[in-house]
Amino acid sequence: MSDQHQGHEPPTVGTYLRVALVLTVVTALEVGVIYVRRLAPIVVPLLLAMSAAKFALVALFFMHLRYESRVPTFLFVGPLVLASGLAVALMTLTGAFLVFGR
Amino acid sequence: MPTDRARGTLGEAKATVDVSKTSSFGLALTLGLGGCAWDTPMSTVAPRSDLARDILHVYGIIIWISLGIALIVAVALAWVIVRFRTRPGDTRIPVQTRGHTLLEISWTIAPAIVLLVIAIPTIQVIFRTQAEPARDALEVRVLGHQWWWEFRYPGLEVVTANELHVPAGKPVALTLDGPDVIHSFWVPRLGGKRDVVPGRLNRLTFTAESPGDYPGQCAEFCGASHANMGMRVVVDAPDAFARWVAAQKAEPVEPAAGPAADGKAIFARSACVGCHTIRGVSSGALGPDLTTFGSRRTLAAGILPVTVDTVAAWVKDPAALKPDVKMPALGLTDEQARAVAIYLIGLK
Amino acid sequence: MSAHPSDRLLHAPAAARASADTTSTVLSWLTTVDHKRIGILYGASAFAFFLLGGLEALVIRLQLAVPNNTLVSAHTFNELFTMHGTTMIFLAIMPFNAMFFNFMVPLLIGARDVAFPRLNALSYWIFLAGGLLLNASWLAGTPPDVGWFGYANLTSKHYTPGLGVDFWIFSLQILGVSSVIAAINFIVTILNMRAPGMTMMRMPLFVWMTLVVQFLIALAFPPITVGLIYLMFDRFFGTHFYDVAAGGDLHLWQHLFWIFGHPEVYILILPAFGIVSEVLPTFARKPLFGAPVVIYSGVLIGFFGFGVWSHHMFAAGMGPVADSAFSIATMLIAIPTGVKIFNWLATLWGGAVRPTSALHFAVGLVGLFTIGGLSGVMHASPPVDLQQTDSYFVVAHLHYVLIGGSLFGIFAGIYYWWPKMTGRLLGEGLGRLNFWLMFAGFNLAFFPQHYLGAIGMPRRIYTYRPDLGWNAGNLASTIGAFGIGLAVLVFMVNAWRSLRAGAPAPADPWDGRTLEWRTSSPPPPHDFDMIPPVYGRDSFWREKYGSRRVPIAGATQAGGHASIHLPAPSHWPWMAALGLLVAAVGGLTHVTLVVVGVLWTIWALVRFALEHHRTPEHADQTGGLGLDHRKMAMWLFLGSECFFFGTLIATFLAYKGRSVVGPAPHEIFNIPLTSLSTFDLLMSSLLMVLALAAVQRGDRRQARLWLFGTAFFGLIFLGFQAYEFTSFVHEGFTLQQNLFGSTFFLLTGLHGTHVAIGVFWLLSLWVLDLRGRLATVDAVKVEIAGLYWHFVDVVWIAIFTLVYLIP
């Protein structure tokens, strides 16, 4: 294996198991949240935040971004941010946000 | 003004090149970027409406700025090439200047300022020309079909095709709709274009200044006969417009005996009635409304002048004049076609 | 005075040569993986397609020379302008640029080849397949006739039945695959394979522009890929993406097309800017003025180029706010573009300008692109654009930037690098004649078109009435077009004479500034006997004339002459491309061919992947940035995939709630079941990291266990999905049912396809391990499979939330 480990100790099996546990719990919470009436007004930001957290956990730990040099992070996060921005722009231009609340 | 001479229909043999004085003069002007050959029927820089003038206002600013910049760059380029050119055998190495921060900053800021000068009137005109039309605007619903234009005046209960009449001096609010593909409504002397997008209702609002006759054409590729989807906008003085509206709503007069009456009979018993509406005779909805066909000066969406010959040729074999047209040839004889033509031209 | 440094190289001892790359058999060209030969292949193909596209243009101009002309029918004319545009953009300019990327970039950065030579060959053969497929439509009598940007819904089956649009769709998809693969290859090459001492800011400008272009390609193609998939599904499978009656939005096609289309124009022009940024300094004998700023402006243009696309839609009725936003963004982009012109002028100023043919074309670009750029600024103002768009004014604009810009830049590059590529000199006299004929012909052809547009001539019309004042301008334009044709003929004569009997070219005919002039003309198969020393930006110039006596990084043997590893020729690239072609032809004819083609492609790709599984030199591919080439490539691919899935998800959300008939999501989704499948996929990622850890520490038993486990969990996920799909269909919710059906099934179906590919990949690794052919040294291969797998998981995380959970 030829990549550098910068910044953090290499991950252990324990790390992976803990991440998997958190992912499971957050998924369960996500599913639960949609059934809780009182959270309905903020359910969308909540869900977005929770899925973003899962996304980040998989990227940082399973995909090793936390343990690599900055290069892969830039190569991936740059397009990710740009793609998200374009997706939001596309949705705005086609009037998606007018119906988002339905 | 469009010439009345039929220069050769689109289905006929190759037209000869008109090497008249006009086109050579035009060529010279084209090459010399000269003066006044801008007042042509579809010119975008000879405005006859408020919309076209608003656009030309911004257009003018940008053109002059662009010409200025082009001149500066051209002169600079020519000068550096001439001044710093070497002779063969010259092996000197010039000073290896890498840059000059102040210079680079200034020629970054200068374009930015120029663009600001362009942006401000641009945004102003965008919002002004896309504002809600005035309450008393004449509402016209424009439907772009493959390959003709339908015009409906909901407030006036008038339906016509391919020739749009509007009063001078009064705002006209077009709502653009389409049952088939994307087209684009463009009458350059009255303003910029706006697409007809099925599923959306686009708007175009303008106030024509003075009576006149302005050709337009579809400006979004829409299939085989896209080039044949023209139109005419006739701007009438208010009283002339009122007369036109009245004529549109009047019941069609019975045609005189002879070819016109024959033509009506042929029309009424042929498949024509399935597509075309002539009030009191038929109510087809697939093709242009022909109730006042005779009041139009052009045929088949502005591509031919209306004469007995052209209308007869069209009726006999539309596809020869307009590729892929939806109107079929009905197997009429020359005489029958002529009779129908005389009938239709009589529908004023 | 010491001998010219390049003289030493001509007498360097011969190094290891791969015999295949010095012979000229058809077989050697078919199996070549040498970047120089691949560059020549791109260039020759590009030139052939360029002639074809030019012929199409001449027929168009003949038809329009006089009003009411009947040289060709309306149908033929519509086919001609569609094919002319598509051919010139995708089959001429892009591959001409690719010729330079391939031949010159490794030389410019002091490398011996690209990061993935066989993938490079694959890109070429797939490109050729796409180009042949598109032009096969002429032979089939059904070329596409909907314009090079084929607006929906004209392109629907209803309005344009027949195979033309289908030829167009499949060809573009194939060409897209070729481009994206090459893009990833070049990014890894440029980032990871620069000679020691060559930092990013010391790279030549052409390499910088290439780098920006490759990122644009990798990220801009996915949206059009998705848009074309939607069109294909509408035409073949009855979906409703562009179906107005079902609630579809015709603007969607335009957005997806132009989100690609606008970066595409920067893809077309930036290489030319890069060439000019090499040619002007060389022939002015001065550095590029403000090189860092030119670099930053290129990067800015690339980045902000993603934010201006709807300036192609000012007439479409987006509303004043959207119009204004895109207008301002477009004007902003004009600033870095304009700055370059001034930097180029300043480069020439105070120089010792040698008026070679290459310089003529470069200077021509500076002047002509200024005109094209200014007409572009006019288009940036929506009110003005409403008169200019879809008229001959924009046709004039686009040809000023594409011919005056891109093509003149390409010719500058051809005259500049011809000696290096062929070992011969082109005739300077003929070269100048070439330039002046092209300059005169081009301006005569296209300057009048500004006027024609200004007096109202729409574009894409096969004829026009004689009473509108358009006659003289059209005639002039036609004459000019033939002038361009004549210029191209002069070039062909020049090229022919040069190849047959041209003066031999020395290594450094121009007293150049960059590393390619440090090796012979043409270079030996291994490019450099020793990886060259780097003295800074314009490294070779500094070596020759600079005051620094010691390089930043010295020349390195990189293993010594005898052990330079040259990539071996391979059959798998052309075989895989052929499979893809067969599949596409099947799409146009019969589904069995699709199956045959797909299976053939998969087989060829598997053999491709395993061809060098045990080649020792392929084991360690760590590059200059400390990252393995293959890992970098996978991360880049995943970045591209962000755009792919981002587009699919955005469409789903944009169309949400717009179905005209039911069912609606909340009526049909089974959230508890989908939660289980989500959990399953998350756990599969856990198994994947355990598998990787096992391979890395050489624990074969656990590796086999976890690899199989991951694949197995993947299969379970697919099982859940299959169950979900069948139960939906059972309840009457199909792909064709409504807009929701179209967007949902396509999004999740494509995701499922990705999962399936991942399962196949993992099972292949598992089988390799079973056969004892997966060792610690192969860990990086498992790692990249893992990255892919985790990404597929991460996309599902997004889908689960955005599609299933959000109300």
Side-chain angles (χ1 to χ4, degrees):
Chain A
M1 213 176 56
S2 44
D3 51 331
Q4 304 163 332
H5 292 274
Q6 285 180 0
H8 295 91
E9 288 299 308
T12 62
V13 171
T15 314
Y16 292 141
L17 287 174
R18 275 193 295 275
V19 169
L21 184 63
V22 173
L23 288 171
T24 311
V25 167
V26 174
T27 307
L29 283 176
E30 268 193 290
V31 176
V33 142
I34 62 175
Y35 295 113
V36 177
R37 239 10 98 100
R38 233 175 328 140
L39 291 172
I42 54 161
V43 70
V44 171
L46 262 183
L47 287 172
L48 290 176
M50 285 194 275
S51 71
K54 284 160 59 182
F55 195 114
L57 282 172
V58 173
L60 286 168
F61 290 96
F62 287 170
M63 297 172 89
H64 280 191
L65 282 180
R66 189 179 158 83
Y67 306 102
E68 303 258 10
S69 73
R70 293 253 179 75
V71 175
T73 305
F74 282 137
L75 290 180
F76 181 63
V77 171
L80 178 64
V81 167
L82 197 54
S84 309
L86 276 179
V88 170
L90 185 62
M91 287 163 59
T92 310
L93 285 164
T94 50
F97 290 112
L98 301 172
V99 299
F100 210 75
R102 264 196 234 158
Chain B
M1 291 290 291
T3 150
D4 286 327
R5 280 178 291 144
R7 284 297 217 101
T9 63
L10 299 167
E12 284 173 15
K14 190 170 151 81
T16 53
V17 175
D18 178 12
V19 203
S20 72
K21 276 184 276 190
T22 320
S23 40
S24 340
F25 182 51
L27 178 59
L29 282 178
T30 303
L31 297 179
L33 241 204
C36 43
W38 300 101
D39 200 11
T40 57
M42 298 239 323
S43 172
T44 64
V45 294
R48 290 289 180 270
S49 78
D50 60 341
L51 176 60
R53 267 186 214 288
D54 271 342
I55 289 173
L56 190 63
H57 166 66
V58 186
Y59 206 151
I61 294 172
I62 304 182
I63 283 265
W64 290 118
I65 291 177
S66 301
L67 285 175
I69 295 176
L71 200 63
I72 293 172
V73 172
V75 165
L77 198 54
W79 190 73
V80 289
I81 303 170
V82 167
R83 166 73 179 80
F84 296 105
R85 196 183 177 110
T86 60
R87 298 279 146 247
D90 181 347
T91 53
R92 82 191 146 85
I93 292 175
V95 175
Q96 302 287 292
T97 316
R98 288 192 200 293
H100 188 300
T101 314
L102 191 58
L103 198 55
E104 294 176 64
I105 290 178
S106 34
W107 71 45
T108 309
I109 293 186
I113 295 177
V114 167
L115 288 166
L116 198 62
V117 169
I118 294 174
I120 293 175
T122 293
I123 308 287
Q124 287 172 333
V125 171
I126 291 174
F127 279 91
R128 183 157 71 235
T129 55
Q130 291 189 44
E132 279 299 303
R135 220 52 98 62
D136 64 335
L138 175 68
E139 287 279 337
V140 183
R141 198 174 184 88
V142 176
L143 288 106
H145 300 261
Q146 279 180 319
W147 292 280
W148 58 282
W149 298 96
E150 180 178 349
F151 300 118
R152 297 176 164 267
Y153 299 70
L156 302 173
E157 291 177 1
V158 169
V159 176
T160 184
N162 296 325
E163 293 194 359
L164 176 67
H165 279 249
V166 296
K170 187 169 166 187
V172 176
L174 303 179
T175 302
L176 305 173
D177 194 2
D180 48 34
V181 299
I182 295 181
H183 301 275
S184 195
F185 181 93
W186 191 32
V187 184
R189 297 192 71 160
L190 295 179
K193 61 186 67 71
R194 186 62 76 197
D195 286 354
V196 170
V197 182
R200 281 176 173 258
L201 292 176
N202 281 341
R203 308 270 300 181
L204 189 66
T205 305
F206 64 90
T207 303
E209 289 167 354
S210 53
D213 200 329
Y214 308 110
Q217 196 159 341
C218 174
E220 185 60 65
F221 184 70
C222 52
S225 265
H226 164 65
N228 298 322
M229 190 170 161
M231 72 183 104
R232 248 177 100 225
V233 177
V234 181
V235 179
D236 292 317
D239 49 323
F241 180 72
R243 280 199 301 276
W244 176 82
V245 172
Q248 296 300 306
K249 295 171 77 154
E251 284 303 309
V253 181
E254 269 302 308
D262 293 342
K264 179 178 176 183
I266 296 168
F267 178 91
R269 68 163 186 264
S270 305
C272 318
V273 300
C275 295
H276 292 287
T277 296
I278 293 181
R279 213 181 1 235
V281 180
S282 65
S283 55
L286 295 173
D289 186 305
L290 301 176
T291 306
T292 54
F293 175 82
S295 70
R296 299 183 210 149
R297 291 181 46 185
T298 59
L299 156 74
I303 61 175
L304 293 166
V306 167
T307 67
V308 177
D309 290 326
T310 55
V311 178
W314 172 259
V315 167
K316 185 152 192 280
D317 187 3
L321 297 172
K322 193 159 177 173
D324 281 16
V325 69
K326 309 255 160 80
M327 174 168 155
L330 292 174
L332 298 179
T333 65
D334 284 345
E335 220 181 272
Q336 289 173 317
R338 209 176 160 73
V340 173
I342 293 173
Y343 165 60
L344 290 174
I345 293 175
L347 293 171
K348 299 249 181 249
Chain C
M1 198 170 80
S2 62
H4 196 277
S6 59
D7 293 343
R8 292 198 296 268
L9 299 165
L10 292 173
H11 307 293
R17 293 171 188 274
S19 57
D21 276 335
T22 54
T23 66
S24 290
T25 60
V26 172
L27 191 66
S28 72
W29 284 92
L30 194 62
T31 57
T32 186
V33 296
D34 178 345
H35 70 100
K36 302 183 289 297
R37 284 204 160 189
I38 292 172
I40 303 278
L41 285 171
Y42 268 112
S45 312
F47 196 76
F49 286 123
F50 173 67
L51 290 179
L52 193 53
L55 221 62
E56 288 157 356
L58 290 178
V59 178
I60 289 173
R61 281 311 329 161
L62 277 175
Q63 165 66 13
L64 292 175
V66 295
N68 283 339
N69 203 0
T70 52
L71 181 69
V72 293
S73 68
H75 296 115
T76 306
F77 186 89
N78 299 339
E79 291 164 355
L80 282 169
F81 72 70
T82 304
M83 290 294 282
H84 166 74
T86 311
T87 296
M88 286 307 204
I89 289 173
F90 293 103
L91 306 182
I93 296 192
M94 284 183 80
F96 270 134
N97 288 340
M99 163 177 71
F100 294 127
F101 299 155
N102 273 275
F103 205 112
M104 303 314 306
V105 166
L107 295 172
L108 285 163
I109 61 174
R112 289 210 169 92
D113 207 309
V114 295
F116 304 107
R118 289 178 306 146
L119 214 58
N120 202 14
L122 180 66
S123 290
Y124 170 73
W125 293 111
I126 294 180
F127 150 75
L128 187 66
L132 290 175
L133 183 66
L134 180 68
N135 284 286
S137 68
W138 281 119
L139 298 173
T142 56
D145 59 350
V146 289
W148 89 273
F149 44 80
Y151 273 4
N153 53 359
L154 180 64
T155 48
S156 68
K157 201 92 185 169
H158 179 83
Y159 292 107
T160 311
L163 287 177
V165 174
D166 303 316
F167 267 104
W168 185 71
I169 292 173
F170 291 129
S171 308
L172 286 182
Q173 297 286 51
I174 290 176
L175 292 167
V177 169
S178 160
S179 294
V180 174
I181 292 176
I184 292 175
N185 205 348
F186 280 101
I187 296 174
V188 177
T189 304
I190 293 171
L191 292 181
N192 243 9
M193 292 179 70
R194 286 163 285 140
M198 184 176 286
T199 60
M200 297 289 287
M201 289 308 283
R202 293 187 191 128
M203 290 196 314
L205 262 293
F206 182 72
V207 179
W208 261 110
M209 295 301 133
T210 303
L211 183 64
V212 174
V213 164
Q214 305 310 321
F215 272 105
L216 289 176
I217 290 174
L219 302 181
F221 269 87
I224 188 63
T225 306
V226 171
L228 286 168
I229 290 176
Y230 290 164
L231 183 61
M232 187 183 90
F233 267 73
D234 272 12
R235 288 178 65 87
F236 282 81
F237 301 119
T239 49
H240 303 289
F241 293 100
Y242 308 120
D243 180 358
V244 175
D249 184 351
L250 293 183
H251 278 192
L252 178 68
W253 166 265
Q254 295 185 29
H255 283 301
L256 293 182
F257 186 87
W258 291 116
I259 287 175
F260 153 76
H262 194 78
E264 170 68 6
V265 314
Y266 294 121
I267 290 168
L268 296 171
I269 194 64
L270 286 177
F273 284 179
I275 292 173
V276 167
S277 302
E278 301 293 340
V279 168
L280 291 182
T282 301
F283 294 106
R285 308 194 101 209
K286 272 181 69 210
L288 179 68
F289 193 92
V293 167
V294 179
I295 291 172
Y296 298 143
S297 72
V299 172
L300 276 176
I301 289 172
F303 180 72
F304 286 112
F306 276 103
V308 301
W309 78 87
S310 281
H311 66 224
H312 298 267
M313 293 169 64
F314 282 148
M318 297 185 298
V321 175
D323 283 354
S324 303
F326 280 101
S327 173
I328 292 174
T330 307
M331 290 186 196
L332 282 175
I333 260 206
I335 298 175
T337 318
V339 158
K340 285 204 203 316
I341 304 277
F342 300 131
N343 281 75
W344 288 328
L345 283 170
T347 304
L348 289 167
W349 191 92
V353 178
R354 292 172 292 158
T356 58
S357 305
L359 184 84
H360 276 69
F361 278 103
V363 168
L365 181 151
V366 176
L368 296 174
F369 186 83
T370 301
I371 297 176
L374 288 170
S375 58
V377 167
M378 290 187 216
H379 292 315
S381 171
V384 180
D385 189 54
L386 289 182
Q387 290 284 28
Q388 297 176 332
T389 191
D390 269 311
S391 77
Y392 263 80
F393 200 99
V394 72
V395 176
H397 160 71
L398 72 92
H399 284 92
Y400 264 83
V401 291
L402 285 177
I403 298 184
S406 297
L407 193 67
F408 270 66
I410 287 167
F411 269 89
I414 289 176
Y415 276 91
Y416 180 55
W417 278 317
W418 182 272
K420 182 57 56 181
M421 294 194 288
T422 64
R424 305 255 182 203
L425 294 173
L426 278 170
E428 279 296 312
L430 274 180
R432 280 193 284 265
L433 180 63
N434 181 183
F435 170 77
W436 285 111
L437 274 174
M438 190 167 285
F439 186 81
F442 165 73
N443 279 294
L444 182 61
F446 291 101
F447 201 80
Q449 292 190 1
H450 292 106
Y451 173 70
L452 287 173
I455 57 171
M457 182 173 177
R459 68 188 286 195
R460 301 174 154 186
I461 54 175
Y462 70 96
T463 191
Y464 52 95
R465 288 179 5 235
D467 54 347
L468 296 168
W470 300 340
N471 307 2
N474 271 291
L475 185 59
S477 182
T478 300
I479 296 170
F482 277 86
I484 299 177
L486 192 60
V488 173
L489 278 175
V490 168
F491 169 75
M492 289 168 71
V493 168
N494 200 358
W496 177 254
R497 287 170 65 167
S498 165
L499 289 172
R500 301 267 357 262
D508 184 13
W510 311 124
D511 197 14
R513 310 178 74 86
T514 39
L515 291 177
E516 75 273 33
W517 307 111
R518 226 179 163 278
T519 185
S520 59
S521 298
H526 54 285
D527 291 351
F528 298 101
D529 287 342
M530 304 211 296
I531 302 296
V534 172
Y535 284 77
R537 189 183 302 130
D538 288 341
S539 174
F540 190 36
W541 181 269
R542 288 178 206 242
E543 183 179 353
K544 289 186 284 188
Y545 301 111
S547 51
R548 186 199 278 270
R549 287 293 139 216
V550 174
I552 292 164
T556 56
Q557 287 272 22
H561 298 307
S563 63
I564 290 176
H565 168 69
L566 277 185
S570 170
H571 281 282
W572 301 117
W574 73 262
M575 298 268 272
L578 187 58
L580 211 54
L581 182 61
V582 168
V585 169
L588 296 167
T589 50
H590 199 277
V591 71
T592 29
L593 276 180
V594 178
V595 175
V596 166
V598 168
L599 289 175
W600 180 332
T601 308
I602 292 175
W603 171 71
L605 288 175
V606 170
R607 298 304 308 265
F608 182 116
L610 292 174
E611 188 175 17
H612 291 291
H613 187 58
R614 276 291 162 264
T615 309
E617 292 90 345
H618 285 229
D620 181 5
Q621 298 185 29
T622 314
L625 286 184
L627 200 59
D628 184 288
H629 291 339
R630 294 161 291 190
K631 267 177 74 170
M632 187 182 281
M634 177 52 72
W635 278 112
L636 289 167
F637 174 65
L638 297 182
S640 176
E641 290 263 82
C642 285
F643 272 72
F644 183 76
F645 281 106
T647 308
L648 288 164
I649 292 174
T651 309
F652 177 87
L653 292 173
Y655 272 171
K656 188 164 160 168
R658 293 167 68 139
S659 292
V660 168
V661 297
H666 63 272
E667 295 165 2
I668 195 102
F669 281 153
N670 183 339
I671 302 293
L673 198 66
T674 317
S675 313
L676 282 178
S677 73
T678 305
F679 172 73
D680 165 87
L681 205 60
L682 287 171
M683 291 306 107
S684 75
S685 270
L686 172 65
L687 298 181
M688 185 71 228
V689 291
L690 294 176
L692 176 61
V695 172
Q696 282 169 342
R697 65 173 184 268
D699 184 339
R700 285 192 51 213
R701 198 185 63 89
Q702 288 225 352
R704 284 198 295 267
L705 175 65
W706 300 129
L707 275 176
F708 184 79
T710 313
F712 184 68
F713 272 56
L715 282 169
I716 292 177
F717 178 85
L718 289 174
F720 273 116
Q721 190 161 59
Y723 173 76
E724 183 191 40
F725 279 18
T726 36
S727 66
F728 282 175
V729 169
H730 218 59
E731 294 170 54
F733 175 53
T734 61
L735 191 62
Q736 296 86 358
Q737 170 65 15
N738 57 7
L739 213 50
F740 168 48
S742 300
T743 54
F744 170 78
F745 281 105
L746 205 56
L747 167 59
T748 52
L750 282 169
H751 174 266
T753 310
H754 277 73
V755 174
I757 292 173
V759 168
F760 178 78
W761 191 350
L762 290 168
L763 287 176
S764 309
L765 289 170
W766 176 67
V767 166
L768 271 180
D769 199 355
L770 283 178
R771 294 188 177 173
R773 295 177 61 200
L774 201 68
T776 321
V777 69
D778 301 309
V780 67
K781 297 180 190 179
V782 178
E783 192 171 2
I784 62 175
L787 287 174
Y788 173 83
W789 188 261
H790 297 308
F791 179 76
V792 169
D793 186 13
V794 138
V795 170
W796 184 255
I797 289 173
I799 291 177
F800 180 55
T801 304
L802 295 171
V803 171
Y804 287 90
L805 293 184
I806 288 199

